[in-house]
Amino acid sequence: MRNFNLEKKVDSIIITGRSTSYLISNDDVNETFTSRYNNITDDGIIIFDFIDANRFVPYAIDNLLITHKAEYEGVHYLREISWETTSMENFMLDWIARYYIINDLGKELIATDYSTVRVFTLNEIQLFLYLNGFEIIQTIDRKTYAYDTYVIVAKKRVKTI
């Protein structure tokens, strides 16, 4: 995501699933947006979502554990998410997700996922984009299962001499 070169430039690039949360350092963010800039046409756009720090942090403080339930082919699943603040410098969190199967005996742990993630403010994203040759053309307020996020549509600013 941080460094790639396509053989032919494309009209758009989409970053899905709040993958920007795994861009921990400012260098990671800048390298990612620079790669996108270099791989889209002059009229190209990028679309991505991100976890909004201004909404996530208060939500996380008030909800120390988030649960999600799902059912597939008669099997019931549960995901429990918790986190700890790693660094307030870049709004980083240690994210822990535990996955269970629910049965008559209770819940049986089937997997655990540990990640360090970063949440951003909208102003941070705007500045990163500007510094890397993009301008936001649309900000979409997206409701999710827990905390709300933003989806950004940004257009390449063609640099003039």
Side-chain angles (χ1 to χ4, degrees):
M1 185 158 95
R2 293 167 186 86
N3 185 9
F4 68 94
N5 291 304
L6 300 173
E7 288 183 25
K8 182 180 176 187
K9 292 186 178 194
V10 295
D11 293 327
S12 62
I13 297 176
I14 300 172
I15 305 171
T16 62
R18 295 183 298 272
S19 298
T20 53
S21 297
Y22 298 97
L23 302 172
I24 302 303
S25 72
N26 289 350
D27 286 342
D28 290 339
V29 177
N30 287 320
E31 288 170 10
T32 296
F33 288 142
T34 296
S35 286
R36 266 112 201 105
Y37 186 92
N38 292 335
N39 284 286
I40 62 173
T41 60
D42 286 347
D43 292 327
I45 62 169
I46 60 172
I47 302 168
F48 64 95
D49 58 350
F50 70 93
I51 300 173
D52 175 35
N54 286 316
R55 295 188 282 188
F56 179 80
V57 171
Y59 183 87
I61 289 170
D62 292 341
N63 299 278
L64 299 177
L65 183 68
I66 296 177
T67 60
H68 302 106
K69 295 179 181 180
E71 184 266 332
Y72 180 72
E73 295 185 349
V75 180
H76 294 270
Y77 298 92
L78 171 70
R79 177 174 74 167
E80 294 180 340
I81 302 169
S82 61
W83 44 79
E84 295 178 12
T85 303
T86 304
S87 166
M88 290 309 290
E89 182 175 323
N90 281 348
F91 303 116
M92 293 192 321
L93 308 158
D94 282 335
W95 178 280
I96 303 155
R98 291 180 177 85
Y99 300 86
Y100 302 91
I101 290 179
I102 305 300
N103 55 37
D104 294 338
L105 302 174
K107 58 186 186 182
E108 175 187 340
L109 182 66
I110 55 174
T112 304
D113 177 24
Y114 300 95
S115 301
T116 298
V117 296
R118 180 176 179 178
V119 297
F120 297 89
T121 65
L122 182 55
N123 286 347
E124 280 181 299
I125 292 295
Q126 289 170 321
L127 184 56
F128 278 122
L129 287 169
Y130 180 80
L131 292 173
N132 287 284
F134 291 95
E135 63 180 295
I136 294 176
I137 57 175
Q138 187 173 8
T139 302
I140 303 164
D141 191 356
R142 182 170 175 264
K143 305 295 182 200
T144 68
Y145 56 86
Y147 45 88
D148 298 335
T149 62
Y150 287 113
V151 176
I152 300 295
V153 181
K155 184 176 191 283
K156 185 176 187 178
R157 285 187 298 115
V158 179
K159 298 174 184 171
T160 57
I161 299 176

